[in-house]
Amino acid sequence: MPDLNFAIFLLIGSFILFLVLRVPITFALGVSSIITAIYLKIPLMSILQQMVKGIQSFSLMAIPFFILAGEIMGEGGISRRLIEFSNVLIGRVRGGLAQVNILASMFFGGISGSAVADTSSIGAILIPMMKKNGYDADYSVGVTVTSACQGVIIPPSHNMIIYSLAAGGVSVGKLFLGGFVPGVLLGVGLMIVSYIIAVKRGYKKGKKISFKEGIKIAKDALLGIMTAVIIIGGVLSGVFTATESAAIACIYAFVITFFVYREIPITRMNKILYNSLKTLSLVLSLIATAQAFGWLLAYLRVPALATNALLTMTNNKYMLLLFLNVLLLLLGCIMDMAPLILITTPILLPVVTKLGMHPVHFGIMLILNLAIGLCTPPVGSALFVGCAVGEISIEKITKSMLPFYLIMVVVLILVTFIPNIVMYVPNTFMN
């Protein structure tokens, strides 16, 4: 008879060992699951069935459409238009380009739903522009990378769909709405910090734009922003599911990019499809192997054991939530967002629901935690992209990003301990 305690050690220990050996996380999840299944004498066909089951979900069909829509809009000039529109709204203040950067990220995040896409597209334009206008490289990259993390909070976000799947079918519409206030709150906090640093360093204001020119820029950018409106409006009104709204937004993005903006030829669609399929293959293979890993965790009763262990640590709800935040922040520093959502949700969700936390509230708290991990070393993917674009080392930029990290943690604490920041909008519009 296999020892279940040893099986738990084998599953989790082999996974950690593979990570230390820098094995790609999809293979680490899959191989550790297979090793544990062999030890438990579970037929390997059961593991394969779980992997197939993991990607056999109607909700997951929204992800390829979100990815494709984001790729189309990113290639087709939407980034530049959003930057120009943001400059009209807020570019005149001290350190105006930093404020434009944050606001443009807020808009673009609502379209692509990806921090890395935001960093690579917005950052490729604004980081060189900021440096040319006298902004320090560390400040330019720091603003870009931290503001890009709004992209996974402000809807639509494919990470929310992954969480919905891992949590057993939490409403995607409520998750989308729950991310609005925290995402805007994060953006406002970053704007305040950016302004303080800009004043301290003596950065200049942006140039004045005439009213007539501002109206023209706003009209041009509105077509791109409508992509997010279609997705959110469709889900909120109940006319579309998240999958259907993503598909319609994808068609809309295609029409606007190739027949209205017309900045790129239709032949560029080959590259867009290739990039989308490459991203999608990574996401789906990760979900498949994480499903098998999660099934073994449930088979070994790890979620129940973790719940009992955490609840015996302290009876204080606030101390336990604080501990979970610290744990997730540390995990976010060493692992990427999607696998952490898939692995930690089945383990931690039962804990927080016993504390009375709503699954939507926990989902936003979890995603915000892991969003911070995207811009922290050693494996922050948004940080790597930002440093590559800004031509600066991670070592040089980390210290200057501390004020930005601080405001992100402050927003995280507010989101954790004030449920209405997350729940007010979904409770108001989706009873």
Side-chain angles (χ1 to χ4, degrees), residues 114-429:
S114 168
V116 175
D118 191 346
T119 305
S120 57
S121 56
I122 299 287
I125 299 171
L126 268 175
I127 291 176
M129 188 185 298
M130 290 176 73
K131 289 166 70 176
K132 186 178 178 181
N133 281 270
Y135 293 80
D136 296 314
D138 60 343
Y139 177 77
S140 305
V141 174
V143 169
T144 303
V145 170
T146 51
S147 64
C149 294
Q150 295 170 104
V152 297
I153 302 295
I154 294 177
S157 167
H158 60 259
N159 289 293
M160 290 181 181
I161 297 172
I162 293 173
Y163 170 76
S164 173
L165 174 74
V170 175
S171 168
V172 174
K174 286 190 174 182
L175 286 167
F176 280 0
L177 293 178
F180 265 120
V181 176
V184 173
L185 186 62
L186 178 59
V188 171
L190 292 172
M191 283 180 171
I192 293 170
V193 171
S194 299
Y195 178 77
I196 293 170
I197 296 174
V199 171
K200 193 173 179 181
R201 295 191 181 186
Y203 296 140
K204 57 188 178 182
K205 297 181 180 180
K207 67 176 183 177
K208 188 176 181 180
I209 297 173
S210 68
F211 181 77
K212 184 178 179 180
E213 188 181 356
I215 293 295
K216 181 182 177 182
I217 291 170
K219 286 171 66 177
D220 200 26
L222 187 62
L223 290 172
I225 295 172
M226 281 299 296
T227 310
V229 174
I230 289 171
I231 296 171
I232 304 305
V235 173
L236 181 59
S237 64
V239 175
F240 310 127
T241 64
T243 302
E244 291 164 347
S245 65
I248 291 169
C250 202
I251 295 170
Y252 174 83
F254 178 83
V255 172
I256 293 300
T257 297
F258 290 105
F259 299 101
V260 179
Y261 289 162
R262 292 186 294 183
E263 288 192 2
I264 56 174
I266 194 73
T267 52
R268 187 74 70 85
M269 196 64 193
N270 290 332
K271 179 186 175 185
I272 290 170
L273 287 172
Y274 173 77
N275 290 338
S276 300
L277 287 171
K278 187 167 68 171
T279 303
L280 182 62
S281 65
L282 293 172
V283 172
L284 291 184
S285 61
L286 180 60
I287 291 173
T289 52
Q291 170 66 23
F293 189 88
W295 180 76
L296 283 169
L297 287 175
Y299 180 86
L300 295 168
R301 300 186 68 251
V302 172
L305 292 172
T307 301
N308 292 334
L310 288 170
L311 291 177
T312 53
M313 285 175 54
T314 176
N315 293 323
N316 189 308
K317 172 184 175 180
Y318 301 105
M319 287 299 296
L320 191 54
L321 288 175
L322 195 61
F323 170 78
L324 291 180
N325 274 313
V326 172
L327 175 64
L328 290 169
L329 284 171
L330 291 174
L331 289 173
C333 289
I334 58 173
M335 282 180 65
D336 208 358
M337 175 176 279
L340 276 174
I341 292 173
L342 292 164
I343 294 168
T344 59
T345 298
I347 296 173
L348 299 181
L349 185 59
V351 179
V352 297
T353 50
K354 281 200 173 186
L355 298 174
M357 179 179 269
H358 195 283
V360 171
H361 182 197
F362 173 68
I364 301 302
M365 184 193 92
L366 171 68
I367 291 171
L368 180 53
N369 260 294
L370 304 183
I372 296 172
L374 291 174
C375 58
T376 53
V379 295
S381 51
L383 181 62
F384 281 136
V385 172
C387 288
V389 173
E391 298 177 342
I392 186 173
S393 68
I394 291 176
E395 293 79 13
K396 286 184 179 179
I397 194 177
T398 302
K399 184 179 177 181
S400 64
M401 287 184 65
L402 292 178
F404 297 104
Y405 290 146
L406 178 61
I407 196 65
M408 295 177 87
V409 171
V410 168
V411 173
L412 173 62
I413 291 171
L414 292 174
V415 166
T416 301
F417 296 111
I418 307 176
N420 271 341
I421 290 178
V422 174
M423 299 306 302
Y424 178 77
V425 176
N427 286 342
T428 301
F429 291 98

Side-chain angles (χ1 to χ4, degrees), residues 95-111:
L97 280 178
Q99 308 297 330
V100 168
N101 196 328
I102 296 167
L103 192 60
S105 293
M106 203 178 293
F107 286 132
F108 194 78
I111 296 171

